[in-house]
mmCIF file of all heavy atoms in Angstrom:
data_model
loop_
_atom_site.group_PDB
_atom_site.id
_atom_site.type_symbol
_atom_site.label_atom_id
_atom_site.label_comp_id
_atom_site.label_asym_id
_atom_site.label_seq_id
_atom_site.Cartn_x
_atom_site.Cartn_y
_atom_site.Cartn_z
ATOM 1 N N ARG A 232 14.128 -32.962 -5.201
ATOM 2 C CA ARG A 232 14.062 -34.349 -4.735
ATOM 3 C C ARG A 232 13.475 -35.238 -5.833
ATOM 4 O O ARG A 232 13.945 -36.325 -6.092
ATOM 5 C CB ARG A 232 13.185 -34.404 -3.486
ATOM 6 C CG ARG A 232 13.579 -35.447 -2.491
ATOM 7 C CD ARG A 232 13.024 -35.163 -1.090
ATOM 8 N NE ARG A 232 11.628 -34.751 -1.130
ATOM 9 C CZ ARG A 232 11.140 -33.702 -0.477
ATOM 10 N NH1 ARG A 232 11.913 -32.950 0.273
ATOM 11 N NH2 ARG A 232 9.865 -33.405 -0.566
ATOM 12 N N ARG A 233 12.437 -34.725 -6.494
ATOM 13 C CA ARG A 233 11.729 -35.543 -7.477
ATOM 14 C C ARG A 233 12.511 -35.697 -8.785
ATOM 15 O O ARG A 233 12.530 -36.754 -9.386
ATOM 16 C CB ARG A 233 10.364 -34.897 -7.751
ATOM 17 C CG ARG A 233 9.312 -35.916 -8.154
ATOM 18 C CD ARG A 233 8.015 -35.264 -8.629
ATOM 19 N NE ARG A 233 7.290 -34.575 -7.563
ATOM 20 C CZ ARG A 233 6.192 -33.845 -7.791
ATOM 21 N NH1 ARG A 233 5.726 -33.702 -9.023
ATOM 22 N NH2 ARG A 233 5.577 -33.247 -6.795
ATOM 23 N N TYR A 234 13.114 -34.578 -9.226
ATOM 24 C CA TYR A 234 13.732 -34.597 -10.559
ATOM 25 C C TYR A 234 15.240 -34.355 -10.549
ATOM 26 O O TYR A 234 15.864 -34.309 -11.611
ATOM 27 C CB TYR A 234 13.067 -33.538 -11.453
ATOM 28 C CG TYR A 234 11.571 -33.692 -11.564
ATOM 29 C CD1 TYR A 234 10.710 -32.727 -11.037
ATOM 30 C CD2 TYR A 234 11.010 -34.800 -12.213
ATOM 31 C CE1 TYR A 234 9.338 -32.860 -11.146
ATOM 32 C CE2 TYR A 234 9.637 -34.949 -12.329
ATOM 33 C CZ TYR A 234 8.799 -33.972 -11.790
ATOM 34 O OH TYR A 234 7.452 -34.113 -11.898
ATOM 35 N N GLY A 235 15.789 -34.125 -9.360
ATOM 36 C CA GLY A 235 17.236 -33.884 -9.286
ATOM 37 C C GLY A 235 17.651 -32.507 -9.787
ATOM 38 O O GLY A 235 18.836 -32.258 -10.034
ATOM 39 N N MET A 236 16.692 -31.650 -9.949
ATOM 40 C CA MET A 236 16.993 -30.305 -10.464
ATOM 41 C C MET A 236 16.135 -29.260 -9.766
ATOM 42 O O MET A 236 15.034 -29.566 -9.312
ATOM 43 C CB MET A 236 16.654 -30.239 -11.952
ATOM 44 C CG MET A 236 17.625 -30.977 -12.821
ATOM 45 S SD MET A 236 17.282 -30.628 -14.544
ATOM 46 C CE MET A 236 18.737 -31.382 -15.256
ATOM 47 N N PHE A 237 16.613 -28.040 -9.771
ATOM 48 C CA PHE A 237 15.806 -26.933 -9.271
ATOM 49 C C PHE A 237 14.757 -26.572 -10.329
ATOM 50 O O PHE A 237 14.938 -26.900 -11.518
ATOM 51 C CB PHE A 237 16.701 -25.741 -8.946
ATOM 52 C CG PHE A 237 17.493 -25.917 -7.673
ATOM 53 C CD1 PHE A 237 18.605 -25.122 -7.397
ATOM 54 C CD2 PHE A 237 17.124 -26.869 -6.725
ATOM 55 C CE1 PHE A 237 19.329 -25.282 -6.219
ATOM 56 C CE2 PHE A 237 17.840 -27.026 -5.548
ATOM 57 C CZ PHE A 237 18.949 -26.236 -5.294
ATOM 58 N N PRO A 238 13.686 -25.885 -9.935
ATOM 59 C CA PRO A 238 12.574 -25.660 -10.871
ATOM 60 C C PRO A 238 12.961 -24.976 -12.188
ATOM 61 O O PRO A 238 12.600 -25.466 -13.259
ATOM 62 C CB PRO A 238 11.598 -24.810 -10.051
ATOM 63 C CG PRO A 238 11.840 -25.219 -8.636
ATOM 64 C CD PRO A 238 13.313 -25.452 -8.558
ATOM 65 N N VAL A 239 13.685 -23.883 -12.107
ATOM 66 C CA VAL A 239 14.013 -23.164 -13.343
ATOM 67 C C VAL A 239 14.976 -23.997 -14.199
ATOM 68 O O VAL A 239 14.875 -24.038 -15.429
ATOM 69 C CB VAL A 239 14.617 -21.779 -13.030
ATOM 70 C CG1 VAL A 239 15.100 -21.093 -14.304
ATOM 71 C CG2 VAL A 239 13.577 -20.912 -12.309
ATOM 72 N N GLU A 240 15.874 -24.701 -13.526
ATOM 73 C CA GLU A 240 16.803 -25.602 -14.200
ATOM 74 C C GLU A 240 16.025 -26.651 -15.003
ATOM 75 O O GLU A 240 16.350 -26.959 -16.163
ATOM 76 C CB GLU A 240 17.650 -26.272 -13.104
ATOM 77 C CG GLU A 240 18.899 -26.959 -13.570
ATOM 78 C CD GLU A 240 19.596 -27.689 -12.398
ATOM 79 O OE1 GLU A 240 19.046 -27.720 -11.264
ATOM 80 O OE2 GLU A 240 20.684 -28.228 -12.627
ATOM 81 N N LEU A 241 14.971 -27.159 -14.389
ATOM 82 C CA LEU A 241 14.141 -28.181 -15.036
ATOM 83 C C LEU A 241 13.414 -27.607 -16.256
ATOM 84 O O LEU A 241 13.364 -28.225 -17.324
ATOM 85 C CB LEU A 241 13.138 -28.741 -14.018
ATOM 86 C CG LEU A 241 12.242 -29.879 -14.492
ATOM 87 C CD1 LEU A 241 13.064 -31.125 -14.820
ATOM 88 C CD2 LEU A 241 11.196 -30.221 -13.423
ATOM 89 N N ILE A 242 12.862 -26.428 -16.092
ATOM 90 C CA ILE A 242 12.180 -25.737 -17.194
ATOM 91 C C ILE A 242 13.149 -25.582 -18.379
ATOM 92 O O ILE A 242 12.796 -25.820 -19.532
ATOM 93 C CB ILE A 242 11.696 -24.337 -16.717
ATOM 94 C CG1 ILE A 242 10.485 -24.470 -15.787
ATOM 95 C CG2 ILE A 242 11.419 -23.391 -17.879
ATOM 96 C CD1 ILE A 242 9.186 -24.793 -16.475
ATOM 97 N N HIS A 243 14.364 -25.251 -18.050
ATOM 98 C CA HIS A 243 15.394 -25.066 -19.066
ATOM 99 C C HIS A 243 15.708 -26.396 -19.767
ATOM 100 O O HIS A 243 15.734 -26.485 -20.993
ATOM 101 C CB HIS A 243 16.649 -24.490 -18.411
ATOM 102 C CG HIS A 243 17.806 -24.330 -19.344
ATOM 103 N ND1 HIS A 243 17.812 -23.407 -20.350
ATOM 104 C CD2 HIS A 243 18.985 -25.001 -19.427
ATOM 105 C CE1 HIS A 243 18.951 -23.490 -21.016
ATOM 106 N NE2 HIS A 243 19.680 -24.454 -20.478
ATOM 107 N N ARG A 244 15.909 -27.424 -18.995
ATOM 108 C CA ARG A 244 16.238 -28.729 -19.575
ATOM 109 C C ARG A 244 15.127 -29.231 -20.498
ATOM 110 O O ARG A 244 15.378 -29.883 -21.515
ATOM 111 C CB ARG A 244 16.486 -29.761 -18.477
ATOM 112 C CG ARG A 244 17.054 -31.049 -19.049
ATOM 113 C CD ARG A 244 16.971 -32.218 -18.093
ATOM 114 N NE ARG A 244 15.611 -32.611 -17.775
ATOM 115 C CZ ARG A 244 15.292 -33.522 -16.852
ATOM 116 N NH1 ARG A 244 16.241 -34.091 -16.142
ATOM 117 N NH2 ARG A 244 14.031 -33.836 -16.616
ATOM 118 N N GLU A 245 13.885 -28.901 -20.119
ATOM 119 C CA GLU A 245 12.741 -29.359 -20.917
ATOM 120 C C GLU A 245 12.515 -28.492 -22.162
ATOM 121 O O GLU A 245 11.525 -28.672 -22.874
ATOM 122 C CB GLU A 245 11.483 -29.402 -20.054
ATOM 123 C CG GLU A 245 11.558 -30.413 -18.920
ATOM 124 C CD GLU A 245 11.750 -31.845 -19.434
ATOM 125 O OE1 GLU A 245 11.076 -32.224 -20.413
ATOM 126 O OE2 GLU A 245 12.594 -32.573 -18.853
ATOM 127 N N GLY A 246 13.410 -27.543 -22.390
ATOM 128 C CA GLY A 246 13.324 -26.730 -23.615
ATOM 129 C C GLY A 246 12.165 -25.748 -23.608
ATOM 130 O O GLY A 246 11.662 -25.333 -24.653
ATOM 131 N N LEU A 247 11.742 -25.351 -22.417
ATOM 132 C CA LEU A 247 10.559 -24.488 -22.316
ATOM 133 C C LEU A 247 10.895 -23.012 -22.125
ATOM 134 O O LEU A 247 10.009 -22.156 -22.143
ATOM 135 C CB LEU A 247 9.686 -24.965 -21.145
ATOM 136 C CG LEU A 247 8.963 -26.301 -21.384
ATOM 137 C CD1 LEU A 247 8.489 -26.892 -20.067
ATOM 138 C CD2 LEU A 247 7.797 -26.107 -22.349
ATOM 139 N N THR A 248 12.161 -22.721 -21.936
ATOM 140 C CA THR A 248 12.564 -21.371 -21.538
ATOM 141 C C THR A 248 11.934 -20.267 -22.371
ATOM 142 O O THR A 248 11.401 -19.298 -21.833
ATOM 143 C CB THR A 248 14.103 -21.226 -21.617
ATOM 144 O OG1 THR A 248 14.681 -22.276 -20.862
ATOM 145 C CG2 THR A 248 14.531 -19.892 -21.072
ATOM 146 N N GLU A 249 11.992 -20.406 -23.668
ATOM 147 C CA GLU A 249 11.547 -19.289 -24.517
ATOM 148 C C GLU A 249 10.052 -19.045 -24.465
ATOM 149 O O GLU A 249 9.583 -17.998 -24.910
ATOM 150 C CB GLU A 249 12.001 -19.535 -25.956
ATOM 151 C CG GLU A 249 13.513 -19.523 -26.017
ATOM 152 C CD GLU A 249 14.059 -19.459 -27.422
ATOM 153 O OE1 GLU A 249 13.249 -19.454 -28.369
ATOM 154 O OE2 GLU A 249 15.285 -19.402 -27.559
ATOM 155 N N ARG A 250 9.305 -20.006 -23.963
ATOM 156 C CA ARG A 250 7.846 -19.855 -23.863
ATOM 157 C C ARG A 250 7.423 -19.383 -22.481
ATOM 158 O O ARG A 250 6.273 -19.051 -22.262
ATOM 159 C CB ARG A 250 7.118 -21.185 -24.149
ATOM 160 C CG ARG A 250 7.488 -21.901 -25.413
ATOM 161 C CD ARG A 250 7.483 -21.100 -26.684
ATOM 162 N NE ARG A 250 6.739 -19.859 -26.680
ATOM 163 C CZ ARG A 250 7.155 -18.740 -27.287
ATOM 164 N NH1 ARG A 250 8.301 -18.684 -27.908
ATOM 165 N NH2 ARG A 250 6.433 -17.662 -27.253
ATOM 166 N N VAL A 251 8.360 -19.432 -21.537
ATOM 167 C CA VAL A 251 7.970 -19.290 -20.136
ATOM 168 C C VAL A 251 7.770 -17.849 -19.684
ATOM 169 O O VAL A 251 8.529 -16.947 -20.026
ATOM 170 C CB VAL A 251 8.986 -20.004 -19.220
ATOM 171 C CG1 VAL A 251 9.076 -19.359 -17.858
ATOM 172 C CG2 VAL A 251 8.585 -21.459 -19.064
ATOM 173 N N HIS A 252 6.677 -17.679 -18.951
ATOM 174 C CA HIS A 252 6.426 -16.480 -18.155
ATOM 175 C C HIS A 252 6.356 -16.987 -16.717
ATOM 176 O O HIS A 252 5.338 -17.531 -16.294
ATOM 177 C CB HIS A 252 5.101 -15.841 -18.634
ATOM 178 C CG HIS A 252 4.537 -14.842 -17.688
ATOM 179 N ND1 HIS A 252 3.205 -14.473 -17.704
ATOM 180 C CD2 HIS A 252 5.107 -14.114 -16.701
ATOM 181 C CE1 HIS A 252 2.982 -13.576 -16.767
ATOM 182 N NE2 HIS A 252 4.102 -13.343 -16.139
ATOM 183 N N GLY A 253 7.463 -16.828 -16.004
ATOM 184 C CA GLY A 253 7.593 -17.413 -14.670
ATOM 185 C C GLY A 253 7.244 -16.414 -13.569
ATOM 186 O O GLY A 253 7.711 -15.276 -13.586
ATOM 187 N N VAL A 254 6.450 -16.877 -12.623
ATOM 188 C CA VAL A 254 5.919 -15.976 -11.600
ATOM 189 C C VAL A 254 6.438 -16.323 -10.204
ATOM 190 O O VAL A 254 6.491 -17.501 -9.849
ATOM 191 C CB VAL A 254 4.377 -16.038 -11.608
ATOM 192 C CG1 VAL A 254 3.784 -15.130 -10.542
ATOM 193 C CG2 VAL A 254 3.837 -15.673 -12.990
ATOM 194 N N HIS A 255 6.789 -15.324 -9.446
ATOM 195 C CA HIS A 255 7.252 -15.357 -8.048
ATOM 196 C C HIS A 255 8.773 -15.408 -7.965
ATOM 197 O O HIS A 255 9.400 -14.428 -7.602
ATOM 198 C CB HIS A 255 6.597 -16.472 -7.222
ATOM 199 C CG HIS A 255 5.132 -16.286 -7.022
ATOM 200 N ND1 HIS A 255 4.603 -15.125 -6.520
ATOM 201 C CD2 HIS A 255 4.073 -17.090 -7.322
ATOM 202 C CE1 HIS A 255 3.291 -15.229 -6.489
ATOM 203 N NE2 HIS A 255 2.941 -16.401 -6.975
ATOM 204 N N LEU A 256 9.366 -16.601 -8.188
ATOM 205 C CA LEU A 256 10.829 -16.717 -8.245
ATOM 206 C C LEU A 256 11.526 -16.140 -7.020
ATOM 207 O O LEU A 256 12.636 -15.623 -7.104
ATOM 208 C CB LEU A 256 11.354 -16.029 -9.535
ATOM 209 C CG LEU A 256 10.829 -16.694 -10.831
ATOM 210 C CD1 LEU A 256 11.000 -15.777 -12.031
ATOM 211 C CD2 LEU A 256 11.513 -18.035 -11.059
ATOM 212 N N GLY A 257 10.884 -16.272 -5.897
ATOM 213 C CA GLY A 257 11.493 -15.794 -4.653
ATOM 214 C C GLY A 257 12.644 -16.677 -4.219
ATOM 215 O O GLY A 257 13.496 -16.263 -3.436
ATOM 216 N N TRP A 258 12.681 -17.910 -4.735
ATOM 217 C CA TRP A 258 13.709 -18.860 -4.319
ATOM 218 C C TRP A 258 14.551 -19.354 -5.490
ATOM 219 O O TRP A 258 15.207 -20.389 -5.396
ATOM 220 C CB TRP A 258 13.076 -20.021 -3.551
ATOM 221 C CG TRP A 258 12.597 -19.559 -2.219
ATOM 222 C CD1 TRP A 258 11.340 -19.117 -1.907
ATOM 223 C CD2 TRP A 258 13.376 -19.427 -1.031
ATOM 224 N NE1 TRP A 258 11.283 -18.719 -0.588
ATOM 225 C CE2 TRP A 258 12.519 -18.908 -0.025
ATOM 226 C CE3 TRP A 258 14.713 -19.697 -0.696
ATOM 227 C CZ2 TRP A 258 12.956 -18.651 1.275
ATOM 228 C CZ3 TRP A 258 15.151 -19.452 0.598
ATOM 229 C CH2 TRP A 258 14.267 -18.929 1.571
ATOM 230 N N ILE A 259 14.529 -18.607 -6.582
ATOM 231 C CA ILE A 259 15.400 -18.949 -7.697
ATOM 232 C C ILE A 259 16.855 -18.799 -7.250
ATOM 233 O O ILE A 259 17.186 -17.895 -6.476
ATOM 234 C CB ILE A 259 15.095 -18.047 -8.924
ATOM 235 C CG1 ILE A 259 15.886 -18.502 -10.144
ATOM 236 C CG2 ILE A 259 15.358 -16.588 -8.617
ATOM 237 C CD1 ILE A 259 15.523 -17.733 -11.421
ATOM 238 N N THR A 260 17.734 -19.693 -7.692
ATOM 239 C CA THR A 260 19.159 -19.529 -7.359
ATOM 240 C C THR A 260 19.767 -18.525 -8.330
ATOM 241 O O THR A 260 19.239 -18.285 -9.417
ATOM 242 C CB THR A 260 19.911 -20.870 -7.516
ATOM 243 O OG1 THR A 260 19.837 -21.252 -8.894
ATOM 244 C CG2 THR A 260 19.302 -21.958 -6.649
ATOM 245 N N SER A 261 20.890 -17.969 -7.921
ATOM 246 C CA SER A 261 21.530 -16.948 -8.759
ATOM 247 C C SER A 261 21.941 -17.529 -10.112
ATOM 248 O O SER A 261 21.795 -16.891 -11.143
ATOM 249 C CB SER A 261 22.739 -16.366 -8.033
ATOM 250 O OG SER A 261 23.634 -17.412 -7.729
ATOM 251 N N TRP A 262 22.420 -18.784 -10.097
ATOM 252 C CA TRP A 262 22.904 -19.363 -11.356
ATOM 253 C C TRP A 262 21.764 -19.787 -12.275
ATOM 254 O O TRP A 262 21.983 -20.036 -13.454
ATOM 255 C CB TRP A 262 23.874 -20.510 -11.094
ATOM 256 C CG TRP A 262 23.364 -21.559 -10.142
ATOM 257 C CD1 TRP A 262 23.525 -21.573 -8.787
ATOM 258 C CD2 TRP A 262 22.588 -22.707 -10.460
ATOM 259 N NE1 TRP A 262 22.897 -22.658 -8.239
ATOM 260 C CE2 TRP A 262 22.324 -23.382 -9.238
ATOM 261 C CE3 TRP A 262 22.088 -23.241 -11.649
ATOM 262 C CZ2 TRP A 262 21.570 -24.558 -9.185
ATOM 263 C CZ3 TRP A 262 21.342 -24.422 -11.597
ATOM 264 C CH2 TRP A 262 21.092 -25.067 -10.379
ATOM 265 N N GLU A 263 20.529 -19.860 -11.769
ATOM 266 C CA GLU A 263 19.399 -20.195 -12.645
ATOM 267 C C GLU A 263 18.900 -18.988 -13.439
ATOM 268 O O GLU A 263 18.229 -19.142 -14.456
ATOM 269 C CB GLU A 263 18.222 -20.729 -11.816
ATOM 270 C CG GLU A 263 18.343 -22.166 -11.357
ATOM 271 C CD GLU A 263 17.162 -22.536 -10.472
ATOM 272 O OE1 GLU A 263 16.951 -21.844 -9.435
ATOM 273 O OE2 GLU A 263 16.434 -23.478 -10.801
ATOM 274 N N LEU A 264 19.163 -17.787 -12.921
ATOM 275 C CA LEU A 264 18.658 -16.566 -13.584
ATOM 276 C C LEU A 264 19.011 -16.545 -15.068
ATOM 277 O O LEU A 264 18.209 -16.163 -15.915
ATOM 278 C CB LEU A 264 19.246 -15.324 -12.909
ATOM 279 C CG LEU A 264 18.461 -14.747 -11.743
ATOM 280 C CD1 LEU A 264 19.287 -13.673 -11.055
ATOM 281 C CD2 LEU A 264 17.127 -14.181 -12.207
ATOM 282 N N ASN A 265 20.221 -16.963 -15.328
ATOM 283 C CA ASN A 265 20.751 -17.010 -16.679
ATOM 284 C C ASN A 265 19.833 -17.796 -17.635
ATOM 285 O O ASN A 265 19.707 -17.467 -18.808
ATOM 286 C CB ASN A 265 22.147 -17.645 -16.589
ATOM 287 C CG ASN A 265 22.843 -17.690 -17.922
ATOM 288 O OD1 ASN A 265 22.842 -16.688 -18.625
ATOM 289 N ND2 ASN A 265 23.410 -18.832 -18.267
#
Side-chain angles (χ1 to χ4, degrees):
Chain A
R232 212 160 44 228
R233 209 189 292 174
Y234 304 114
M236 287 189 170
F237 285 163
V239 174
E240 195 185 5
L241 184 65
I242 286 285
H243 177 69
R244 190 196 65 187
E245 296 299 317
L247 289 163
T248 307
E249 295 192 358
R250 309 310 341 141
V251 151
H252 164 201
V254 179
H255 294 307
L256 298 163
W258 289 93
I259 187 174
T260 63
S261 58
W262 51 270
E263 282 176 303
L264 270 171
N265 183 46

